[in-house]
Amino acid sequence: MQSNYEERVLTGDRTTGKLHLGHYVGSLKNRIDMQQKYDTFILLADVQALTTHFESPKEIEQHLRQIAMDYLAVGIDPEKATIFVQSLVPEIAELTIFYSMFVTVNSLRHNPTVKSEAAERGYDQMYYGFLGYPVSQAADITFCKATLVPVGEDQVPHIEQTRKIVRRFNELYAPVLIEPKAVVGEVPRLVGLDGKSKMSKSMGNAITLDASAQEVRDKIQVAVTDPARIRKSDPGHPEVCPVFTYHQAFAAGTSDEVATGCRSGTMGCVECKRRIAGRINELLEPMRERRVAYEANPRMADEILIAGTKRAREIAKETMREVREAMGLNYRLDYDEARD
Ligand code: ATP
Ligand code: MG
């Protein structure tokens, strides 16, 4: 299938839980802008979810539906963006295998995100699928020849890995694949409510996009702040306060005023938190309204995924045909035609 856009965007999320504010600033906001200008593909990464959730695969369906709703609520427009399910495009798995032939285990072991995620999850044994997930991401990105990938900072080493795979493939066989660029959001890594370096679905330190107004207030109320500040009159240190990073991310226009109030001991944590919870609720309110409309008709989300997956699959088949031809494996095509 041809497209008239100059650039093609691919990005996605693991179906491991609800989307949160970190996704919004790290990637979703860019996706919403980019879908206006570029041919945008958004992948529900249910196979990649298995790399860490293979013991509880039954939960994946619920997360998949939840994230599809999150996309629609946040403002991904199914008329503009192609939303699809990774496991229903088997060509991605095929490409992963082909690429894995020329990716070294050492390059994966040295990937800083793979290393830190394995440490956070306490993996003393490294699973083959987990170690190789950047290779499967390369397949996600290249099957549709994406040129731009809006992601959070943690994903940058993976895009670099994809670029290497593309160069190697093109050099070994024929110039079929396209090197993508990472597009990192305004806030490359939003910290968690617990002060941990990254708000994350799997760490229970997130404000999800479907949170109610009360839930936002409650979560902000218990969020970690500057540990040195005990009384309101103590001078605070916004530069080490996780809640202040939320002001910078979601209320940039008033963050200087908040920093001054905090440093001088005139604005306490209670007022600072009240303000940011209010601002986050303003951001989430239109999402809540859109969600109600989509939730009233759940079949609509299914239809969107079916149409998106069909389109992704057509493109994947075409890329696979080119890949096989480049590798001299196109005899498989004759077999497929004979069988059909
Ligand atoms: P998990 O903990 O299950 O890995 P996650 O919260 O890391 O979930 P992913 O599905 O792995 O979410 O990531 C989806 C996209 O969102 C990626 O581009 C990632 O970089 C971005 N992202 C996730 N968390 C943040 C964050 N806290 N700040 C900025 N970007 C983020
Ligand atoms: Mg992740």
Side-chain angles (χ1 to χ4, degrees), residues 14 23 48 117 121 133 154-155 198 200-202:
R14 284 157 32 85
H23 294 111
Q48 200 185 316
E117 287 179 345
R121 293 175 193 281
Y133 90 75
D154 59 309
Q155 297 295 305
K198 181 175 168 291
S200 152
K201 287 194 217 98
S202 319

Side-chain angles (χ1 to χ4, degrees), residues 7-131:
E7 308 272 5
R8 185 170 272 176
V9 174
L10 179 122
T11 184
D13 304 279
R14 284 157 32 85
T15 52
T16 50
K18 299 174 176 183
L19 297 186
H20 52 66
L21 291 174
H23 294 111
Y24 181 74
V25 288
S27 170
L28 291 170
K29 218 170 155 190
N30 271 339
R31 300 182 202 180
I32 295 162
D33 294 342
M34 288 170 134
Q35 67 179 351
Q36 305 296 339
K37 292 182 272 183
Y38 308 132
D39 190 15
T40 298
F41 284 74
I42 303 182
L43 150 120
L44 289 157
D46 56 342
V47 179
Q48 200 185 316
L50 288 172
T51 61
T52 52
H53 288 56
F54 57 86
E55 283 168 329
S56 47
K58 294 219 167 76
E59 289 166 20
I60 288 182
E61 177 176 0
Q62 187 200 336
H63 296 318
L64 186 138
R65 291 182 188 283
Q66 167 80 39
I67 295 183
M69 263 321 157
D70 285 339
Y71 288 159
L72 298 168
V74 84
I76 299 292
D77 178 351
E79 297 287 320
K80 300 205 164 86
T82 301
I83 307 174
F84 69 101
V85 179
Q86 188 182 30
S87 67
L88 298 181
V89 183
E91 289 76 11
I92 294 178
E94 261 181 289
L95 278 177
T96 305
I97 296 281
F98 286 5
Y99 297 163
S100 70
M101 304 305 163
F102 56 83
V103 176
T104 66
V105 171
N106 262 350
S107 71
L108 296 167
R109 280 199 180 279
H110 290 136
N111 179 307
T113 301
V114 170
K115 264 204 231 169
S116 65
E117 287 179 345
E120 269 161 24
R121 293 175 193 281
Y123 289 169
D124 48 356
Q125 305 267 13
M126 188 60 103
Y127 292 100
Y128 176 54
F130 180 80
L131 180 67

Side-chain angles (χ1 to χ4, degrees), residues 240-251:
V240 298
C241 177
V243 172
F244 183 65
T245 65
Y246 299 160
H247 278 275
Q248 291 172 308
F250 302 104

Side-chain angles (χ1 to χ4, degrees), residues 47-302:
V47 179
Q48 200 185 316
L50 288 172
T51 61
T52 52
H53 288 56
F54 57 86
E55 283 168 329
S56 47
K58 294 219 167 76
E59 289 166 20
I60 288 182
E61 177 176 0
Q62 187 200 336
H63 296 318
L64 186 138
R65 291 182 188 283
Q66 167 80 39
I67 295 183
M69 263 321 157
D70 285 339
Y71 288 159
L72 298 168
V74 84
I76 299 292
D77 178 351
E79 297 287 320
K80 300 205 164 86
T82 301
I83 307 174
F84 69 101
V85 179
Q86 188 182 30
S87 67
L88 298 181
V89 183
E91 289 76 11
I92 294 178
E94 261 181 289
L95 278 177
T96 305
I97 296 281
F98 286 5
Y99 297 163
S100 70
M101 304 305 163
F102 56 83
V103 176
T104 66
V105 171
N106 262 350
S107 71
L108 296 167
R109 280 199 180 279
H110 290 136
N111 179 307
T113 301
V114 170
K115 264 204 231 169
S116 65
E117 287 179 345
E120 269 161 24
R121 293 175 193 281
Y123 289 169
D124 48 356
Q125 305 267 13
M126 188 60 103
Y127 292 100
Y128 176 54
F130 180 80
L131 180 67
Y133 90 75
V135 184
S136 108
Q137 275 189 213
D140 300 336
I141 297 167
T142 54
F143 92 82
C144 66
K145 302 192 181 172
T147 53
L148 301 174
V149 191
V151 282
E153 185 183 62
D154 59 309
Q155 297 295 305
V156 172
H158 304 342
I159 311 303
E160 202 37 58
Q161 177 69 262
T162 298
R163 291 165 64 85
K164 280 194 195 135
I165 289 175
V166 168
R167 289 198 291 268
R168 190 74 183 119
F169 182 97
N170 288 349
E171 175 188 285
L172 281 168
Y173 309 118
V176 166
L177 305 178
I178 308 261
E179 267 188 66
K181 286 192 207 76
V183 183
V184 176
E186 269 165 35
V187 182
R189 184 186 295 252
L190 192 72
V191 298
L193 292 163
D194 53 0
K196 289 234 174 72
S197 68
K198 181 175 168 291
M199 186 176 280
S200 152
K201 287 194 217 98
S202 319
M203 314 261 276
N205 62 359
I207 294 182
T208 56
L209 299 181
D210 73 343
S212 68
Q214 190 57 45
E215 221 177 302
V216 170
R217 286 190 287 271
D218 291 348
K219 288 206 163 175
I220 290 285
Q221 201 184 349
V222 296
V224 170
T225 52
D226 169 10
R229 195 173 192 205
I230 295 158
R231 283 173 297 269
K232 178 183 163 193
S233 54
D234 294 340
H237 304 88
E239 60 288 350
V240 298
C241 177
V243 172
F244 183 65
T245 65
Y246 299 160
H247 278 275
Q248 291 172 308
F250 302 104
T254 50
S255 65
D256 284 351
E257 179 194 326
V258 170
T260 310
C262 172
R263 280 202 187 92
S264 62
T266 53
M267 185 188 289
C269 294
V270 172
E271 172 60 7
C272 165
K273 285 183 162 182
R274 192 190 61 75
R275 283 198 188 198
I276 194 60
R279 177 62 204 108
I280 291 171
N281 274 326
E282 271 169 35
L283 174 75
L284 298 185
E285 195 44 42
M287 299 182 204
R288 292 181 187 125
E289 284 165 21
R290 272 193 295 263
R291 188 183 299 271
V292 169
Y294 279 110
E295 275 178 354
N297 186 358
R299 184 69 204 155
M300 211 177 344
D302 277 18

